[in-house]
Amino acid sequence: MRLTPERKVREQQLGGISKMTLCRWRKDGFPSPVVINNRNYFTEQQLRKDIPAYLAKKISEQ
């Protein structure tokens, strides 16, 4: 299982959003990360399927 650090995902794939924005999104249904040694990581499946599905849902709601 390949893991990507949350910071890298926020900066490179989510447009540089802040930690607080991601926290708010999680309360709204954004996929929860895998926590290892108090650090957050996202799996390949989350990056390929779950996160794009969440973003598409949010865009369609607007």
Side-chain angles (χ1 to χ4, degrees), residues 5-20:
E6 178 187 288
R7 182 177 180 183
K8 187 174 182 180
V9 172
R10 283 190 297 108
E11 291 174 353
Q12 296 178 357
Q13 297 179 352
L14 298 175
I17 64 170
S18 68
K19 288 182 180 183
M20 182 52 83

Side-chain angles (χ1 to χ4, degrees), residues 14-38:
L14 298 175
I17 64 170
S18 68
K19 288 182 180 183
M20 182 52 83
T21 298
L22 191 57
C23 181
R24 289 182 187 117
W25 286 7
R26 276 194 208 120
K27 291 179 184 178
D28 192 42
F30 191 85
S32 294
V34 175
V35 180
I36 300 173
N37 291 331
N38 289 329

Side-chain angles (χ1 to χ4, degrees), residues 33-61:
V34 175
V35 180
I36 300 173
N37 291 331
N38 289 329
R39 294 178 187 242
N40 296 329
Y41 298 91
F42 289 99
T43 65
E44 282 186 65
Q45 178 184 348
Q46 288 175 311
L47 295 176
R48 279 191 265 130
K49 294 181 182 178
D50 301 339
I51 293 173
Y54 171 82
L55 296 174
K57 178 184 145 208
K58 292 308 287 178
I59 290 170
S60 69
E61 288 177 358

